[in-house]
Amino acid sequence: MERNSGILLHPTSLPDSPICGTFGNPARGWLEDLAKYGIGVWQFLPLAPPDSLGSPYSSPSSFAFNPWFLDENDLVRDGFLESNLKKISSNNDDLEERVDFKLANERVKFLSIALVHFWEKQNATIKEEFDIWCKKQFWLDDHSIFMELRTQNNNLPWWEWPEKFAMYDKRELADWKKDNEKELLGHNLIQWHLYRQWKSIRELAKNLGISLFGDVPFYVSKDSADVWSNRSLFSINTNSDIYLQSGVPPDYFSETGQLWGNPVYRWSRHKAGKFKWWRKRISRHLEQVDFLRLDHFRALEAFWAIPGKDLTAENGFWLPSPGKEILALLKKDCGGLLPLVAEDLGVITSKVEKLRDDYELAGMKILQFAFDGNLDNPYLPENIKDENWIVYTGTHDNSTSLGWWREMDQDNKQQIKERMFDQENFSSWQLIRIGMETKAKLFIAPMQDLLNLDNYSRLNKPGTIENNWSWKLTSNNNIVKEALKKYGDLAEKCKR
């Protein structure tokens, strides 16, 4: 990649849509604005369906698209829905600044029923195109069965379903499918239309010269189609209990570490199958984007395994991962060049760094981590010595830069003031300018920082469950456009 700049904004946060952003006009308008102002990269979070709290990092189906992103106006335009459909929207003005998860899910159910109802009126060519696509998606059948069984079982986790379904009994599932053809068609149509709409967005981005920068979690949720239908690949006992779970060890920030609760991978099984599932997963994501951030990259070298019944991460232990083998196969699959970015934040060992560097993967630098008084801090701008980095003001898990400043003590503030043009008045733009001027080949800021927003607009606060993942832009107004222009002008000045 040439020296460039980008913005982090998840599609849920796109403006000018009643419930949440979609793969229709909201995404098209966003791309056109980025191109207009010379911003070359759009980064977003995983595009998979979220969990009940709105997190796309704990998806019930990691190969699928989030059905919230389906654009009904485009469906009407393309003849898949009637134009006189009722509109599902909120009467609560406050929700313009937040995604209403319940309303988003209601809208998906409504669209699914409407698409099935109108499907009989589609011509044979369209139906054949759909059938061919379905047959090529190895993950689709399990996804649709899982999501429909989940709905019919009051959204309980799969291990609390009737045993014949929980145990993935193929004979029982075959009989069940015959009785639920319309419902499964609805799930399949949703995913097909999402594929069609995102393909159009992908082509537009390419024509505008904008790179799409995606994200994939390292682990998958226990309560997912992935684990339910492939449990031999995960640390799951025959009674459906986890025997080893994921997390990170105790450190300066947490005496008990972090317990994430995902099943870890049963690497011996993956290896026996030449890492087929992992390769298909990465391939699926790279069909959607130009390059991909691999979350928790350090677990490709070694991972923290915690006994399944433990309630904290204290008693975990390190186990090796076959990262070299996986990356070598992925590199071969990708034709010799790996379009992956290593999320290498936190305490990283020399072995992890070597794995990253051996495969020439870009790493990440967060400016909010830089100013602790330590002159050797690797996040300080002057310590970013080469270009194979992506520098951020902060990520989706951090405070907004204005929120970060307001929470900072005076000693640390003083370190930053020495680098500021206006030492009395901090704004996020001070940090954006510092990042733009680094040697890193790519600089990215969350949209909230372009608007100098405080922590009310923070996207996620790890370790909490309230008000996460729901922030959105209310409209694509002049304030937004002026911020994008200012960002693009600064990028040009910094030769990005």
Side-chain angles (χ1 to χ4, degrees):
M1 177 187 286
E2 296 177 16
R3 192 168 161 82
N4 215 328
S5 66
I7 295 176
L8 172 60
L9 184 73
H10 197 47
T12 50
S13 302
L14 289 169
D16 298 333
S17 52
I19 298 175
C20 86
T22 67
F23 291 167
N25 276 336
R28 286 191 290 271
W30 173 248
L31 285 172
E32 285 160 2
D33 279 347
L34 292 181
K36 180 179 179 181
Y37 298 114
I39 300 160
V41 177
W42 177 20
Q43 183 175 1
F44 35 82
L45 312 183
L47 297 176
D51 65 11
S52 62
L53 300 174
S55 171
Y57 290 92
S58 184
S59 177
S61 189
S62 65
F63 286 85
F65 276 120
N66 182 351
W68 297 355
F69 296 146
L70 193 59
D71 190 275
E72 61 189 274
N73 292 326
D74 282 11
L75 290 172
V76 171
R77 179 200 67 191
D78 296 340
F80 293 107
L81 288 178
E82 294 174 304
S83 58
N84 60 353
L85 280 177
K86 71 170 185 177
K87 297 288 182 182
I88 294 181
S89 59
S90 172
N91 297 320
N92 186 346
D93 292 339
D94 292 340
L95 289 173
E96 287 191 4
E97 295 181 359
R98 296 281 168 188
V99 177
D100 183 332
F101 303 154
K102 183 179 177 183
L103 206 60
N105 286 325
E106 284 179 13
R107 177 177 163 275
V108 170
K109 289 178 186 174
F110 172 75
L111 288 177
S112 177
I113 292 168
L115 284 167
V116 170
H117 177 72
F118 208 59
W119 186 240
E120 292 176 7
K121 300 179 182 179
Q122 301 302 321
N123 63 46
T125 304
I126 289 289
K127 289 182 177 179
E128 184 183 13
E129 181 186 332
F130 169 70
D131 288 340
I132 290 170
W133 180 83
C134 287
K135 287 171 184 172
K136 289 181 178 178
Q137 312 309 310
F138 77 94
W139 54 272
L140 183 63
D141 205 34
D142 287 333
H143 158 78
S144 296
I145 293 170
F146 179 87
M147 298 306 287
E148 184 56 32
L149 278 170
R150 203 181 199 210
T151 299
Q152 293 183 13
N153 286 280
N154 299 313
N155 290 318
L156 288 170
W158 59 260
W159 54 92
E160 294 183 24
W161 297 349
E163 187 175 357
K164 61 184 179 181
F165 300 135
M167 297 310 292
Y168 192 69
D169 184 319
K170 291 191 176 183
R171 188 176 297 175
E172 292 285 356
L173 289 173
D175 290 341
W176 176 87
K177 281 172 67 177
K178 293 173 187 173
D179 297 330
N180 291 273
E181 287 180 357
K182 276 195 173 182
E183 291 80 2
L184 294 174
L185 175 62
H187 291 285
N188 290 352
L189 284 171
I190 291 276
Q191 289 300 316
W192 179 57
H193 286 301
L194 285 162
Y195 156 77
R196 290 177 58 258
Q197 291 185 0
W198 186 250
K199 184 181 178 185
S200 174
I201 293 299
R202 188 113 163 74
E203 288 169 358
L204 176 62
K206 185 177 181 181
N207 292 337
L208 293 172
I210 293 169
S211 295
L212 300 177
F213 185 2
D215 196 348
V216 60
F218 187 82
Y219 293 113
V220 297
S221 171
K222 180 187 177 185
D223 190 19
S224 66
D226 312 279
V227 173
W228 172 70
S229 60
N230 298 283
R231 70 192 71 182
S232 67
L233 298 177
F234 302 91
S235 56
I236 300 285
N237 287 321
T238 52
N239 66 357
S240 303
D241 288 344
I242 294 179
Y243 64 83
L244 284 177
Q245 55 185 324
S246 63
V248 290
D251 59 16
Y252 174 79
F253 300 101
S254 173
E255 291 181 0
T256 59
Q258 295 178 37
L259 183 72
W260 297 340
N262 315 78
V264 299
Y265 294 105
R266 196 179 289 180
W267 284 126
S268 60
R269 294 292 180 91
H270 286 267
K271 188 172 183 176
K274 297 182 180 178
F275 302 99
K276 184 179 177 182
W277 182 88
W278 254 85
R279 293 162 75 183
K280 283 184 173 181
R281 184 182 183 218
I282 298 300
S283 173
R284 164 77 176 154
H285 284 82
L286 287 174
E287 289 170 5
Q288 302 164 4
V289 297
D290 297 295
F291 48 106
L292 189 63
R293 186 188 90 130
L294 181 56
D295 198 29
H296 195 48
F297 176 80
R298 76 98 50 245
L300 266 186
E301 191 278 322
F303 64 99
W304 190 247
I306 304 153
K309 294 188 184 303
D310 282 18
L311 300 178
T312 72
E314 292 169 280
N315 297 320
F317 45 92
W318 289 107
L319 289 173
S321 292
K324 279 186 181 179
E325 294 171 74
I326 292 173
L327 290 173
L329 288 167
L330 292 175
K331 187 174 181 179
K332 185 179 177 182
D333 293 345
C334 292
L337 189 64
L338 262 181
L340 298 179
V341 171
E343 186 277 286
D344 54 354
L345 306 174
V347 180
I348 299 298
T349 67
S350 59
K351 287 183 179 180
V352 178
E353 291 174 343
K354 186 177 187 306
L355 184 65
R356 179 197 66 206
D357 295 343
D358 283 350
Y359 288 90
E360 301 177 80
L361 307 183
M364 293 172 57
K365 299 289 187 186
I366 311 298
L367 292 178
Q368 289 186 20
F369 297 166
F371 306 101
D372 61 358
N374 176 10
L375 296 179
D376 294 325
N377 186 313
Y379 299 105
L380 277 170
E382 56 269 28
N383 292 337
I384 302 171
K385 303 291 188 184
D386 57 62
E387 64 175 26
N388 202 26
W389 297 101
I390 302 176
V391 171
Y392 296 79
T393 50
T395 72
H396 63 278
D397 279 340
N398 297 114
S399 294
T400 65
S401 289
L402 182 60
W404 165 78
W405 174 261
R406 288 176 175 175
E407 293 170 351
M408 189 184 298
D409 63 44
Q410 288 302 319
D411 288 345
N412 287 345
K413 279 184 178 179
Q414 191 57 42
Q415 294 178 57
I416 303 168
K417 281 185 177 182
E418 294 167 2
R419 302 167 187 260
M420 288 164 46
F421 287 139
D422 182 351
Q423 296 197 357
E424 299 306 315
N425 300 296
F426 177 86
S427 87
S428 303
W429 285 93
Q430 307 276 9
L431 212 56
I432 288 172
R433 177 186 57 80
I434 291 170
M436 282 278 196
E437 291 174 348
T438 63
K439 293 180 180 179
K441 63 181 173 183
L442 178 59
F443 171 74
I444 289 180
M447 189 63 207
Q448 293 94 317
D449 283 355
L450 273 73
L451 299 172
N452 198 36
L453 298 175
D454 62 21
N455 271 345
Y456 176 77
S457 301
R458 179 174 180 164
L459 191 63
N460 181 50
K461 187 174 183 179
T464 68
I465 59 173
E466 297 290 327
N467 297 320
N468 291 326
W469 314 110
S470 61
W471 175 79
K472 69 189 288 272
L473 283 169
T474 53
S475 67
N476 194 1
N477 55 26
N478 285 337
I479 294 171
V480 172
K481 292 184 186 298
E482 285 168 10
L484 291 173
K485 183 179 187 304
K486 183 177 178 181
Y487 192 78
D489 289 347
L490 180 59
E492 185 178 19
K493 184 179 177 183
C494 294
K495 296 182 171 56
R496 292 188 179 276

